[in-house]
C-alpha cells in the first residue's frame, strides 16, 4: 500500500471511525435477520434427480413436517385411542394408521395381510403424523406436547425434522459459550504474548466488529449460512485474522524508534506491512475459497463466509485499527510487562546445527503420516456427524428393532399408464436386495382395483398425474444397500423423465457420490493457488515448493493421528475442510519466516546460519502467538460444541495449528538452510 493511501488513512481516522460505526449498526440489523440452515440436503446440487424428486413430494404430496409415533405393546383399541388424541391436536393436520385401511375390530384373518404387515411388526405399530406449520412453536415443542398428551410409556417419536430440530438446539445452545471461550482464550494468549497486553482488548474489539460486519454482509448476500459456518466462523475468524493486528503493532513499535511523530510512524507501519499482510490474507482466503469448488455446497458456504471474514479483517486492520491505536495509545500503553516468550536464539541454533538429523526425522515421520493419511476411511453418513440425545437414540433403536433399519426409497412415476406402473413395480421387485415395493396400484404383490383401495391410501400415493412407489431395501452393509439404490436409479435412464428415485437414503447416497471427488479437487486447487501466491510474494521457486510441502506433511501428520489412534473413519467434511484450511491458515507462518530469512540474508557479513538463527529469534514469537491463538479459539469450540461434526473438525484445526507451528519452527528452517548450502555448492562447482 502506497504512502499516499496510508497518509489518507491516518489523516482521516475520525471519518474512518464514524463510517465504521455506521456500517457496524447496519450489520447488527442484518445479523439479527440471518438464518441458520441445519439441513444437509439443502446443499446438494439442485440438478440431482433425488433433490428434484423431494421437492415434488414436498410441494405436491404435502411432505410437510412429518413425525412417526411408534407404539409398543399396545392393543389396536389403545392405539386407535392414541390416534384419535393425535388428530385432536391443533397443530396436527392428519394422521395415517391401520384404522384408515381396515376396521380395528375385524379379526386379522379377514384383513389383507399386507395391511397388517405395513403397520404392525413384533408388537409395535407406527402412526404417521403430519404437523402444521403454525409459526408459533418449533417441531421440538410440538413433539414434547404430543408426549404430554399421549404419555411416554412404550411410546417413541422420531423423524428427520426431529433430528434437524435437535441439531439446531445443540448448535444454538453452545454458540454464545463457544464465542465467549474463544475470546477469553485469545485474550489470555495475546496478554501473554504482547508486552502491552491492553492492546489485546483493542485487537479483539476489531475482530468482533469484523465478525458482525461479516455476518451482516452474509445476510445481505444470501440471507442464511450453514450451521457449520454459524458454529465455527466467529471463533475461526478471530484466530486467523488476529495475527494481522499483531504484525501491524510490532511494526508500529519499531517505527516509533525512528519517528518522534507517531502519525508518521503509523503511516510507515501501514505502508510497510500492507504487502505482507495482503499476501498472508490472500493465502488464507485461497484456502477457504478452494472449498467453494466442492459439489456439496455446505463446506463452500463456510469457505465463502470465512473468505469474507479474512477480507474484512484485513481491511479493518489497516484502516480502523490504526485509527483506534492513535486515539487510545496513551491509556493502553500504561500497562506493560516484559517479554514473556523466551529468546528463541537457542532454538534457532539447535535447528541449524542439527538440520540433517531434523530433515531425516521429518522424512521418516512424513512417510508414516502419509500412510495413515491415505488409509483413513471417510464416511458420508450425516447421522455420524452429530450425537443424538439419549431419548432420540433410544427411539431410533426401538424403530430399528421393530421395523428394521434398512434403507428406503421413493419412486415418483409421472404420466405413467397403469401397465407401466405395474411393469416398474415388477422390475423393482426383481432387484436383488429389494424387500418390498408398494405403489398406488398395489400392496406387496397383490394387485387391487382402485375402488377397493381406501381413499386415504390412494391420496398418500397418488396425486394428479403422479404416483408414488415406496421401496424398502433389505438391511445389509452400506455397500450392499448403496448398490440397490444404484440399481433403482437405473430406472431413471430406462424411463427417461417419467421416473425419479428419491428419499432421505437416496439423497444420502447422492451426497457420498458427488462428494467423493471433492477432496482431491479441493486439495489440488488450494495447493496450486497458494503455490502461485507464495511464489509471487517470495519470487523463489524452491522456497515456495518447500513451504507448501512442509504444510502438506503437517496436514498428513494431523490426519494420521486419527488413523494411528484407532479412529478408522472420519466425516468427509472435516477431512476436506482441514486439507484446505490448515494449508491456507498456517502457510502464513511459513511466509513470515521465509520473508524474514531472505531479509536477514541481505545484511552484510551475516552467514546463512546466522541469518536463520536471527530469523527464528525475530519471527518465532509472532508465529507462536498466531498458532496459539488459532489453537485456543478452535480448541474452545471443540470443548463446548455439542455437535460431534463441529467438535471433530475444530479438534483437527487446533491440533493442526500446533503441528504446523512445530514444522515451521523446526523443520522449515532446516530445509531452507540446506537449500541455501546446496545452491552455494552448485555455484562453487560452476
Amino acid at each position: 500500500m502506497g504512502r499516499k493511501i496510508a497518509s489518507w488513512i491516518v489523516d482521516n481516522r475520525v471519518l474512518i471511525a464514524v463510517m465504521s460505526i455506521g456500517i457496524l449498526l447496519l450489520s447488527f440489523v442484518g445479523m439479527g435477520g440471518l438464518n441458520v440452515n441445519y439441513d444437509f440436503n439443502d446443499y446438494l446440487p439442485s440438478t440431482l434427480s433425488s433433490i428434484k424428486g423431494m421437492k415434488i413430494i414436498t410441494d405436491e404430496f404435502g411432505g410437510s413436517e412429518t413425525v412417526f409415533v411408534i407404539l409398543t405393546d399396545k392393543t389396536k383399541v389403545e392405539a386407535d385411542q392414541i390416534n384419535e388424541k393425535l388428530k385432536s391436536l391443533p397443530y396436527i393436520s392428519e394422521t395415517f394408521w391401520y384404522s384408515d385401511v381396515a376396521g380395528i375390530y375385524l379379526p386379522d384373518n379377514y384383513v389383507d395381510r399386507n395391511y397388517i404387515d405395513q403397520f404392525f411388526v413384533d408388537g409395535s405399530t407406527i402412526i404417521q403424523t403430519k404437523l402444521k406449520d403454525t409459526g408459533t412453536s418449533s417441531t421440538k415443542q410440538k413433539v414434547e406436547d404430543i408426549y404430554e398428551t399421549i404419555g411416554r410409556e412404550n411410546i417413541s417419536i422420531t423423524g428427520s425434522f426431529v433430528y434437524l430440530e435437535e441439531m439446531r438446539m445443540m448448535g444454538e445452545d453452545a454458540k454464545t459459550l463457544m464465542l465467549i471461550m474463544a475470546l477469553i482464550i485469545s485474550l489470555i494468549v495475546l496478554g501473554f504474548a504482547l508486552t502491552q497486553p491492553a492492546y489485546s482488548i483493542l485487537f479483539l474489539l476489531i475482530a468482533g466488529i469484523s465478525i458482525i460486519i461479516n455476518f451482516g454482509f452474509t445476510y445481505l448476500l444470501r440471507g442464511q449460512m450453514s450451521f457449520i459456518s454459524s458454529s465455527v466462523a466467529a471463533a475461526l475468524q478471530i484466530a486467523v485474522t488476529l495475527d494481522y493486528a499483531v504484525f501491524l503493532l510490532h511494526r508500529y513499535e519499531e517505527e516509533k524508534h525512528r519517528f518522534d511523530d507517531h502519525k508518521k510512524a503509523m503511516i510507515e507501519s501501514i505502508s510497510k506491512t500492507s504487502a505482507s499482510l495482503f499476501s498472508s490474507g490472500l493465502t488464507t482466503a485461497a484456502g477457504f475459497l478452494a472449498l467453494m469448488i466442492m459439489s456439496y455446497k455446505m463446506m463452500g458456504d463456510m469457505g465463502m463466509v470465512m473468505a469474507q471474514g479474512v477480507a474484512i479483517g484485513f481491511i479493518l486492520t489497516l484502516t480502523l485499527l490504526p485509527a483506534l491505536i492513535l486515539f487510545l495509545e496513551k491509556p493502553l500503553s500504561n500497562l506493560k510487562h516484559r517479554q514473556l516468550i523466551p529468546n528463541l536464539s537457542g532454538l534457532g541454533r539447535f535447528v541449524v546445527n542439527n538440520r540433517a538429523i531434523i530433515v531425516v526425522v521429518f522424512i521418516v515421520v512424513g512417510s508414516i503420516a502419509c500412510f495413515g493419511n491415505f488409509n483413513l476411511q471417510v464416511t458420508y453418513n450425516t447421522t455420524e456427524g452429530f450425537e443424538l440425545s439419549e431419548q432420540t437414540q433410544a427411539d431410533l433403536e426401538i424403530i430399528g428393532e421393530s421395523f428394521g433399519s434398512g434403507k428406503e426409497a421413493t419412486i415418483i412415476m409421472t404420466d405413467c399408464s397403469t401397465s407401466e406402473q405395474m411393469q416398474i413395480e415388477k422390475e423393482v421387485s426383481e432387484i436383488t436386495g429389494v424387500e418390498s415395493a408398494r405403489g398406488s396400484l398395489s400392496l406387496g404383490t397383490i394387485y387391487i382395483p382402485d375402488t377397493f383401495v381406501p381413499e386415504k391410501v390412494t391420496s398418500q400415493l397418488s396425486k394428479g398425474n403422479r404416483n408414488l412407489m415406496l421401496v424398502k431395501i433389505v438391511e445389509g452393509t452400506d455397500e450392499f444397500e448403496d448398490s440397490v439404490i444404484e440399481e433403482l436409479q437405473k430406472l431413471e435412464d430406462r424411463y427417461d423423465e417419467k421416473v425419479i428415485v428419491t428419499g432421505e437414503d437416496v439423497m444420502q447416497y447422492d451426497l457420498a457420490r458427488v462428494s467423493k471427488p471433492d477432496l482431491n479437487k479441493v486439495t489440488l486447487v488450494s495447493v496450486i493457488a497458494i503455490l502461485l501466491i507464495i511464489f509471487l510474494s517470495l519470487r523463489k521457486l524452491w522456497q515456495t515448493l518447500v513451504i507448501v510441502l512442509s504444510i502438506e506433511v503437517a496436514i498428513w501428520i494431523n490426519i494420521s493421528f486419527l488413523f494411528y489412534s484407532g479412529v478408522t473413519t472420519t466425516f468427509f467434511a472435516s477431512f476436506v475442510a482441514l486439507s484446505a484450511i490448515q494449508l491456507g491458515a498456517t502457510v502464513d507462518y511459513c511466509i513470515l519466516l521465509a520473508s524474514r530469512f531472505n531479509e536477514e540474508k541481505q545484511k552484510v557479513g551475516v552467514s546463512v546460519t546466522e541469518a536463520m538463527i536471527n530469523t527464528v529469534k525475530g519471527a518465532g514469537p509472532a508465529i507462536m502467538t498466531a498458532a496459539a491463538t488459532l489453537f485456543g479459539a478452535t480448541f474452545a469450540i471443540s470443548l463446548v460444541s455439542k455437535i460431534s461434526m463441529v467438535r471433530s473438525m475444530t479438534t483437527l484445526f487446533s491440533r493442526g495449528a500446533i503441528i504446523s507451528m512445530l514444522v515451521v519452527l523446526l523443520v522449515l528452517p532446516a530445509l531452507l538452510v540446506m537449500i541455501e548450502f546446496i545452491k552455494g555448492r552448485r555455484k562453487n562447482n560452476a
Side-chain angles (χ1 to χ4, degrees):
M1 184 180 292
R3 282 181 174 78
K4 286 186 178 180
I5 298 177
S7 297
W8 186 90
I9 291 171
V10 171
D11 293 340
N12 293 275
R13 56 190 180 277
V14 175
L15 175 63
I16 289 172
V18 172
M19 290 176 61
S20 298
I21 292 172
I23 294 172
L24 180 64
L25 292 175
L26 291 174
S27 299
F28 258 122
V29 176
M31 184 178 175
L34 187 64
N35 293 319
V36 178
N37 191 339
Y38 289 87
D39 193 340
F40 286 91
N41 296 327
D42 281 354
Y43 294 94
L44 282 167
S46 58
T47 54
L48 289 174
S49 59
S50 58
I51 298 298
K52 294 177 181 177
M54 189 56 68
K55 188 176 187 306
I56 289 172
I57 291 176
T58 302
D59 294 345
E60 300 183 20
F61 287 84
S64 57
E65 295 186 12
T66 302
V67 296
F68 299 95
V69 180
I70 313 297
L71 311 178
T72 305
D73 296 331
K74 302 286 186 182
T75 65
K76 288 180 183 177
V77 174
E78 290 173 329
D80 187 58
Q81 291 172 347
I82 291 173
N83 186 34
E84 292 302 318
K85 286 183 180 179
L86 290 173
K87 290 179 182 178
S88 67
L89 295 175
Y91 45 80
I92 290 180
S93 59
E94 66 174 352
T95 64
F96 182 54
W97 184 62
Y98 177 81
S99 60
D100 294 309
V101 296
I104 63 172
Y105 296 104
L106 280 175
D108 287 352
N109 57 341
Y110 282 89
V111 180
D112 191 304
R113 189 69 211 175
N114 291 287
Y115 287 136
I116 298 173
D117 292 341
Q118 185 178 2
F119 292 99
F120 295 95
V121 177
D122 296 333
S124 295
T125 187
I126 185 168
I127 303 175
Q128 180 178 309
T129 307
K130 287 189 177 181
L131 307 178
K132 294 178 183 177
D133 184 10
T134 60
T136 58
S137 59
S138 67
T139 304
K140 191 74 173 176
Q141 291 171 323
K142 293 171 185 173
V143 169
E144 286 300 319
D145 192 41
I146 291 173
Y147 272 125
E148 290 181 9
T149 303
I150 64 177
R152 291 181 179 271
E153 186 177 357
N154 296 330
I155 295 175
S156 303
I157 302 174
T158 187
S160 59
F161 286 94
V162 177
Y163 309 151
L164 292 176
E165 184 72 13
E166 189 165 307
M167 191 169 9
R168 186 193 68 79
M169 293 181 66
M170 286 191 291
E172 294 298 325
D173 289 347
K175 190 186 299 182
T176 303
L177 182 58
M178 286 190 294
L179 182 57
I180 291 173
M181 286 194 65
L183 288 170
I184 291 173
I185 292 177
S186 299
L187 195 63
I188 293 171
V189 170
L190 290 173
F192 178 84
L194 301 176
T195 57
Q196 297 173 324
Y199 277 105
S200 59
I201 299 174
L202 189 59
F203 293 171
L204 290 177
L205 175 63
I206 294 294
I209 292 172
S210 66
I211 289 168
I212 294 170
I213 293 175
N214 187 16
F215 280 32
F217 189 61
T218 301
Y219 169 76
L220 183 65
L221 288 179
R222 299 184 297 281
Q224 68 173 18
M225 64 171 60
S226 71
F227 76 93
I228 291 182
S229 302
S230 176
S231 298
V232 305
L236 202 55
Q237 187 173 331
I238 291 172
V240 300
T241 60
L242 272 182
D243 52 347
Y244 304 161
V246 174
F247 295 159
L248 180 71
L249 179 64
H250 283 169
R251 176 61 72 172
Y252 178 57
E253 292 298 321
E254 290 180 17
E255 296 299 332
K256 282 197 298 183
H257 294 298
R258 297 178 57 224
F259 297 94
D260 293 332
D261 187 342
H262 287 189
K263 288 190 289 185
K264 289 184 178 179
M266 183 58 75
I267 291 171
E268 287 295 311
S269 302
I270 295 171
S271 62
K272 289 181 177 178
T273 58
S274 57
S276 60
L277 290 185
F278 180 74
S279 297
S280 176
L282 204 56
T283 55
T284 304
F288 288 121
L289 289 174
L291 297 173
M292 294 186 65
I293 68 168
M294 293 178 64
S295 300
Y296 185 59
K297 299 303 180 183
M298 179 176 283
M299 300 310 299
D301 176 83
M302 186 181 79
M304 186 62 187
V305 171
M306 287 307 307
Q308 292 168 191
V310 170
I312 294 168
F314 168 77
I315 293 170
L316 291 182
T317 298
L318 293 180
T319 55
L320 182 59
L321 180 59
L324 294 181
I325 288 176
L326 291 173
F327 286 145
L328 305 172
E329 183 174 12
K330 286 185 179 179
L332 291 178
S333 299
N334 290 331
L335 181 61
K336 292 185 179 181
H337 63 66
R338 65 180 179 83
Q339 176 63 264
L340 298 179
I341 297 178
N343 189 307
L344 297 179
S345 297
L347 176 63
R349 196 170 292 107
F350 169 81
V351 171
V352 168
N353 293 337
N354 297 277
R355 56 187 179 274
I357 297 174
I358 290 173
V359 170
V360 170
V361 172
F362 179 65
I363 292 172
V364 173
V365 172
S367 300
I368 297 171
C370 181
F371 178 83
N373 173 77
F374 289 103
N375 282 278
L376 184 69
Q377 299 299 310
V378 177
T379 178
Y380 297 89
N381 190 343
T382 54
T383 60
E384 295 181 18
F386 64 99
E387 294 176 358
L388 300 171
S389 66
E390 291 183 6
Q391 179 63 52
T392 303
Q393 191 62 46
D395 292 344
L396 278 177
E397 289 174 1
I398 290 172
I399 294 172
E401 291 170 1
S402 302
F403 294 90
S405 55
K407 295 178 180 178
E408 297 179 345
T410 301
I411 298 176
I412 303 173
M413 296 170 286
T414 304
D415 293 326
C416 288
S417 64
T418 301
S419 61
E420 284 179 314
Q421 291 181 55
M422 294 172 67
Q423 177 61 29
I424 291 170
E425 182 170 338
K426 180 176 181 294
E427 291 181 31
V428 170
S429 301
E430 290 174 352
I431 294 175
T432 302
V434 169
E435 182 177 320
S436 64
R438 295 185 174 93
S440 58
L441 298 179
S442 69
L443 285 172
T445 58
I446 301 176
Y447 291 86
I448 305 171
D450 289 352
T451 53
F452 285 85
V453 181
E455 182 180 352
K456 204 160 190 178
V457 176
T458 58
S459 67
Q460 295 278 325
L461 300 174
S462 181
K463 286 284 177 70
N465 65 334
R466 301 193 197 273
N467 294 278
L468 303 184
M469 184 186 302
L470 309 180
V471 181
K472 188 171 179 59
I473 298 171
V474 175
E475 186 176 352
T477 63
D478 287 340
E479 291 77 10
F480 171 76
E481 293 175 344
D482 287 347
S483 69
V484 178
I485 293 176
E486 186 176 350
E487 288 298 316
L488 290 173
Q489 288 184 330
K490 290 179 180 178
L491 291 168
E492 297 178 347
D493 296 328
R494 292 203 291 272
Y495 289 90
D496 296 324
E497 297 182 356
K498 285 189 171 184
V499 169
I500 295 177
V501 181
T502 188
E504 292 291 334
D505 292 320
V506 177
M507 290 190 292
Q508 184 78 55
Y509 168 77
D510 282 340
L511 168 61
R513 184 170 56 84
V514 302
S515 299
K516 283 178 181 177
D518 283 339
L519 176 59
N520 292 333
K521 287 195 301 184
V522 169
T523 301
L524 181 62
V525 169
S526 59
V527 166
I528 291 174
I530 290 171
L531 269 171
L532 289 173
I533 295 167
I534 297 173
F535 178 71
L536 292 174
S537 175
L538 299 178
R539 304 285 181 174
K540 296 181 182 294
L541 179 60
W542 280 107
Q543 285 189 358
T544 300
L545 294 174
V546 165
I547 284 172
V548 174
L549 175 64
S550 298
I551 297 300
E552 277 298 324
V553 173
I555 293 170
W556 296 348
I557 293 171
N558 191 4
I559 293 174
S560 68
F561 261 95
L562 297 173
F563 180 79
Y564 291 113
S565 61
V567 178
T568 55
T569 60
T570 187
F571 191 62
F572 84 99
S574 302
F575 201 82
V576 176
L578 179 74
S579 299
I581 294 173
Q582 186 175 338
L583 177 61
T586 63
V587 78
D588 298 354
Y589 314 159
C590 301
I591 294 175
L592 176 62
L593 186 122
S595 299
R596 186 64 175 261
F597 178 53
N598 294 334
E599 183 182 324
E600 293 291 336
K601 284 192 305 175
Q602 302 303 317
K603 294 180 179 178
V604 178
V606 177
S607 66
V608 170
T609 55
E610 289 174 332
M612 184 53 74
I613 292 170
N614 293 337
T615 297
V616 174
K617 175 186 175 182
I623 292 171
M624 293 175 68
T625 301
T629 304
L630 178 56
F631 167 80
T634 51
F635 185 67
I637 300 176
S638 70
L639 290 177
V640 176
S641 178
K642 297 178 181 179
I643 302 175
S644 59
M645 181 197 306
V646 174
R647 194 163 60 244
S648 65
M649 185 183 299
T650 50
T651 298
L652 285 169
F653 291 163
S654 60
R655 187 168 60 225
I658 299 303
I659 294 171
S660 292
M661 179 192 73
L662 293 175
V663 168
V664 172
L665 291 179
L666 296 175
V667 179
L668 185 59
L671 290 171
L672 293 177
V673 169
M674 290 187 73
I675 288 173
E676 291 300 318
F677 277 117
I678 292 171
K679 287 166 60 179
R681 286 173 187 166
R682 285 181 177 177
K683 286 181 181 179
N684 293 333
N685 292 334

